Amino acid sequence: MKTLVIAEKPDMGRTIAAVIEPKAANKRTYIEGSDYIITWAIGHLIELAEPDKYDEKYKKWRFEHLPIIPDEFKLLPNPRTKDQLKVIKEVAKQCDKIVNACDAGREGQHIFSLIQRHLKLKQPVKRLWISDLTAETIRSGFQQLKDGSDFDNLTRAARARSEADWIIGMNGSRAFTTKHNVLLSVGRVQTPVLALIYDRQKLIEDFSSLKFYEVEAFFTQEQTEYRGLWQGERITDPAKAEGIAAKVKGKPARIASYEVKDTKEYPFKLYDLTLLQRESNAKLGFSAKKTLDVAQALYEKHKVISYPRTNSNYVTEQNIPEMHKTLSALQGTAYDEWVRQANRNLVHKNNKAICNPAKVEDHHAILPTGKRANGLSADEQKVYDLIVRRFLSQFYPAAEYKVHTVLTEVEKETFKTTVKELLQLGWKVLYPESKKDGKRAKAKDDKGKEEDEAEEEETSEPFSLNASLGAHCRDAAAKEKETQPPKAFTEGTLLKAMESAGKQIEDEELRDAMKDSGLGTPATRAATIERLKHVGYVTMQGKRITLTPKGRTAVELIRAAGVELLTSPEMTGQWERRLNEISRGQASDETFMRNVKKFATLIVDKVRVQNRAARTAFEGDEPAGKAGGRAATGKTRRSAKASGTDGAAAGTAPGARAAAGTAARESGAPAGLAVSAR
């Protein structure tokens, strides 16, 4: 008999078939060769059943029916893709072995395991676990197939994630919706992310700007000119600032201190998905979802990058030779000049900034492959360019600087100067737009202070002073400034906050340590942000994410109910860490699920005694967007009440039924969980 290969998507299946069965017959929904039958899922073919499949009473959303916690979850085919499921069932009868070739990650494992459980496939399973779709990698992967049982823990984690999302999303959404008679979507990951946005917006709204004054002086010493900032307590009196400027202007000065330090800036780490999404948002203005979609196309359709849904910035020793091959493959492309200048000796197994196997779990960092990139769309080319430049930068030396720190004293007033003199561009030659010759660059202040003493001048011109010679203050002026509120989240900065469960962590090593405790996974964060938009909780103003009245009220109601943990990024981050521990065999999925069920029951109990929100609390809601049509407005609330549900979701009105189905889907649970939207 033959071996059945199940890929996650048609393109992947066809790519695999071209390598292992090049003469196979294409049967449209599967490909059959002499040894293998290759077929595919189309994303999720199986979903968790809606509540009414357990009991007809759940067709109407009523508070007294909560909590809904199945003893055993039922699986149902996705009606839109049920024909493909039948194909898998039929071809499986012709095979005595199966290869799971779905995406090498938690969700890919979940997609396969649902098919296997639902169809009751009993054949022994091997696992294809590869990080790119080049012919060489596929061939090598089939020569080194792993036992399916090696991934049982990952399957348990994937199942726990899916069922936990169903329980929290279903009970949370139905509880708050029926209590407050407006469609409110709640999710295990979605809600704490919404709370992050809420808390940031509150900080911005509550911020009181304060005026202060900065005194800058301009000095000369022979042919050298430089600028200094007055050192002292923040000045809030304009007269004092003007007085200092007048006092020092035109006066002789002395150099009280002059230090010169050599410093190096090494290339940034290779991309993981979240970092790629952040940079793509900042540099290209792409949403997290758009970046993920483009990266997936580069991986799956064009095969020019490795698996993008990774949370690692590092590679293993086995990847080092591949990186050198890819560098050679980039010769003769648009990157040829940079390839010729690259130093291959910098990329080796002992370079821990690149090669750190301990920090590579399922997949290594995103890398370009050796396949030539042809036929890319404009957007695909832009994301590919980010990845290639980041890859090439690892073959370049550090950028080198001399940092000059000067304290100049004039009339007993002290001014500080920091000049960053460029000696060697190093890897920054790949980023000509980042040169700051002669421009001021505010140094990052990790503590978020408003002081501007850290301002520095970056220059490529030689800079030097003679500490034993005097200087002259040719000019001085007082400048009015204002303290600035925290910045609203962009998708890029929100992704950063999600990665570290809301903690503002600048240190890269600490951020790495928090990755297991982030909100969601690299593969799901974009979808979470999209859900918040689609259910009408946030809207975009340019790049800025803005909370809607509905989103604001949702957070306030959840917190007022006494289930603050549902809005806690740190707590939800710990849940994600536990799921990762389950996937490694370090924690029990049964214990995790017991705690999830207890928490869902607590949510229902707390909401039961909560006072109903005033109807005016939701006025001014934004539309829910394409996914859900209109959000539950006052009209649908009145419709629900008139129909006699009074506290049930507006599920009896036709438009509200669709919206309610959307709410369940957008709550973090699989599609179609509450009231059927079909």
Side-chain angles (χ1 to χ4, degrees):
M1 294 183 80
K2 298 179 182 180
T3 298
L4 176 63
V5 178
I6 302 177
E8 186 163 325
K9 294 177 183 175
D11 279 352
M12 296 173 68
R14 296 184 188 106
T15 300
I16 290 169
V19 175
I20 64 172
E21 285 280 15
K23 296 180 180 179
N26 190 338
K27 307 283 190 176
R28 196 174 65 82
T29 53
Y30 65 96
I31 298 171
E32 184 169 2
S34 56
D35 297 315
Y36 296 97
I37 296 177
I38 301 98
T39 189
W40 41 80
I42 309 171
H44 282 271
L45 300 183
I46 307 292
E47 56 192 34
L48 299 183
E50 298 177 6
D52 61 88
K53 301 304 179 188
Y54 299 91
D55 193 316
E56 280 285 317
K57 68 182 182 182
Y58 294 138
K59 280 190 173 179
K60 288 187 177 180
W61 290 25
R62 294 189 181 278
F63 203 102
E64 59 266 28
H65 296 156
L66 302 177
I68 305 169
I69 301 176
D71 294 327
E72 185 70 25
F73 281 85
K74 295 181 180 180
L75 303 180
L76 287 180
N78 183 332
R80 290 168 296 194
T81 54
K82 62 183 180 182
D83 289 343
Q84 186 61 24
L85 187 64
K86 289 178 183 176
V87 170
I88 297 175
K89 181 178 181 179
E90 291 306 312
V91 295
K93 294 174 183 177
Q94 306 170 42
C95 302
D96 60 355
K97 293 187 289 291
I98 297 176
V99 174
N100 173 8
C102 292
D103 274 358
R106 190 168 77 187
E107 284 312 296
Q109 191 69 19
H110 188 48
I111 286 170
F112 175 83
S113 69
L114 287 174
I115 294 170
Q116 185 184 32
R117 282 166 55 200
H118 182 71
L119 296 181
K120 297 180 171 59
L121 302 178
K122 302 301 182 186
Q123 296 93 327
V125 175
K126 293 287 187 179
R127 184 60 157 113
L128 177 69
W129 193 271
I130 55 178
S131 285
D132 66 61
L133 290 172
T134 58
E136 182 182 352
T137 301
I138 292 169
R139 205 171 287 117
S140 174
F142 269 86
Q143 291 168 358
Q144 303 171 54
L145 290 172
K146 303 174 187 294
D147 285 332
S149 59
D150 292 348
F151 299 87
D152 285 350
N153 288 326
L154 186 62
T155 301
R156 291 187 187 97
R159 181 173 178 173
R161 192 282 307 159
S162 175
E163 293 178 0
D165 283 350
W166 193 101
I167 289 170
I168 298 300
M170 184 60 59
N171 288 287
S173 296
R174 288 197 174 204
F176 281 100
T177 295
T178 54
K179 184 67 177 184
H180 301 291
N181 209 23
V182 65
L183 190 61
L184 293 174
S185 176
V186 172
R188 182 182 64 88
V189 176
Q190 168 191 309
T191 301
V193 175
L194 178 63
L196 282 178
I197 299 167
Y198 174 92
D199 290 340
R200 176 64 61 87
Q201 192 148 321
K202 286 290 286 182
L203 284 174
I204 294 168
E205 291 168 356
D206 295 343
F207 183 82
S208 296
S209 182
L210 297 174
K211 287 185 180 179
F212 67 98
Y213 298 84
E214 187 180 80
V215 182
E216 59 180 1
F218 299 88
F219 300 98
T220 58
Q221 186 190 78
E222 297 182 330
Q223 304 304 311
T224 302
E225 295 188 351
Y226 62 100
R227 166 182 170 273
L229 290 175
W230 181 80
Q231 300 298 287
E233 293 293 320
R234 173 177 284 174
I235 302 173
T236 55
D237 180 1
K240 181 179 178 181
E242 294 286 355
I244 293 172
K247 177 182 177 183
V248 302
K249 185 175 180 178
K251 300 295 175 63
R254 73 179 188 89
I255 295 175
S257 171
Y258 180 36
E259 294 180 358
V260 182
K261 182 174 71 174
D262 290 324
T263 187
K264 294 181 178 181
E265 290 184 13
Y266 290 91
F268 296 125
K269 289 179 182 177
L270 291 163
Y271 285 127
D272 60 13
L273 176 59
T274 302
L275 185 55
L276 176 63
Q277 289 170 316
R278 285 168 45 195
E279 292 246 329
S280 181
N281 182 252
K283 293 183 176 182
L284 307 176
F286 288 1
S287 70
K289 182 181 184 300
K290 180 173 182 176
T291 301
L292 175 56
D293 290 345
V294 170
Q296 192 68 22
L298 291 171
Y299 163 68
E300 191 176 306
K301 177 182 175 184
H302 300 287
K303 303 164 188 65
V304 294
I305 67 168
S306 62
Y307 185 71
R309 297 169 186 249
T310 175
N311 68 345
S312 179
N313 305 100
Y314 300 91
V315 302
T316 66
E317 293 177 7
Q318 289 74 32
N319 300 125
I320 298 298
E322 295 174 21
M323 292 180 71
H324 284 266
K325 285 182 185 177
T326 299
L327 181 68
S328 297
L330 287 168
Q331 290 177 341
T333 68
Y335 304 97
D336 185 71
E337 181 183 349
W338 290 327
V339 172
R340 284 188 279 108
Q341 295 175 35
N343 183 350
R344 292 172 178 268
N345 295 328
L346 294 174
V347 176
H348 54 82
K349 67 181 182 180
N350 294 318
N351 183 343
K352 294 304 179 187
I354 301 170
C355 182
N356 194 336
K359 293 187 177 181
V360 180
E361 291 188 5
D362 294 342
H363 296 284
H364 56 70
I366 301 173
L367 299 172
T369 67
K371 190 175 185 297
R372 286 287 175 96
N374 296 315
L376 303 187
S377 70
D379 288 344
E380 288 167 347
Q381 182 60 51
K382 289 173 183 176
V383 174
Y384 180 69
D385 185 66
L386 288 178
I387 294 167
V388 172
R389 288 182 194 240
R390 183 61 63 97
F391 166 79
L392 289 172
S393 71
Q394 311 305 309
F395 292 89
Y396 276 73
E400 297 182 17
Y401 298 88
K402 279 189 183 297
V403 178
H404 304 259
T405 306
V406 188
L407 292 179
T408 305
E409 195 173 280
V410 52
E411 295 293 310
K412 297 184 179 180
E413 304 291 351
T414 300
F415 294 81
K416 183 178 181 179
T417 303
T418 304
V419 174
K420 192 176 179 182
E421 178 190 356
L422 176 65
L423 303 178
Q424 288 285 347
L425 263 178
W427 62 275
K428 291 191 176 183
V429 71
L430 293 157
Y431 300 92
E433 74 281 358
S434 69
K435 295 177 187 176
K436 297 174 183 172
D437 297 1
K439 294 181 182 178
R440 292 173 193 159
K442 274 190 187 179
K444 286 183 181 177
D445 188 347
D446 292 350
K447 295 178 183 177
K449 293 182 180 178
E450 294 293 337
E451 286 84 351
D452 288 337
E453 301 92 76
E455 277 198 6
E456 64 183 21
E457 298 272 357
E458 185 171 324
T459 179
S460 58
E461 299 296 323
F463 181 88
S464 65
L465 292 172
N466 187 335
S468 61
L469 292 180
H472 178 71
C473 180
R474 64 174 178 79
D475 198 7
K479 293 172 65 178
E480 182 181 293
K481 297 217 165 183
E482 283 188 342
T483 54
Q484 297 299 310
K487 291 183 178 178
F489 278 121
T490 63
E491 289 201 23
T493 56
L494 181 59
L495 285 167
K496 179 179 175 181
M498 291 171 73
E499 187 177 43
S500 54
K503 293 187 176 180
Q504 299 306 303
I505 300 173
E506 297 294 336
D507 183 87
E508 285 193 0
E509 293 301 316
L510 283 178
R511 260 207 326 272
D512 280 348
M514 282 294 295
K515 279 189 174 181
D516 273 0
S517 299
L519 294 175
T521 66
T524 62
R525 287 173 189 142
T528 298
I529 295 172
E530 291 303 307
R531 280 198 293 273
L532 293 175
K533 297 176 189 176
H534 290 166
V535 299
Y537 284 162
V538 302
T539 187
M540 301 301 297
Q541 292 186 349
K543 281 189 178 182
R544 293 185 296 116
I545 300 173
T546 304
L547 203 63
T548 66
K550 183 177 182 180
R552 181 189 300 270
T553 302
V555 174
E556 290 171 351
L557 286 175
I558 291 166
R559 286 178 169 166
V563 284
E564 293 89 344
L565 286 180
L566 190 54
T567 65
S568 167
E570 194 167 340
M571 175 59 68
T572 307
Q574 293 303 322
W575 291 5
E576 200 67 50
R577 169 177 282 180
R578 192 52 47 88
L579 287 168
N580 283 315
E581 289 171 349
I582 292 168
S583 71
R584 300 183 199 119
Q586 299 167 350
S588 164
D589 55 321
E590 293 177 353
T591 302
F592 174 78
M593 289 306 299
R594 275 200 302 272
N595 289 332
V596 167
K597 291 171 184 177
K598 286 179 184 176
F599 187 55
T601 302
L602 174 68
I603 293 170
V604 172
D605 290 343
K606 292 286 189 179
V607 178
R608 181 176 285 112
V609 296
Q610 186 179 30
N611 292 326
R612 180 169 294 176
R615 216 173 255 187
T616 53
F618 300 95
E619 286 181 358
D621 285 354
E622 297 290 330
K626 293 178 182 176
R630 287 194 52 166
T633 60
K635 183 177 178 181
T636 54
R637 287 196 300 273
R638 288 190 294 275
S639 171
K641 195 161 188 176
S643 70
T645 56
D646 190 33
T652 51
R657 283 179 62 83
T662 299
R665 290 196 299 279
E666 304 300 351
S667 70
L673 286 178
V675 178
S676 174
R678 297 181 294 277

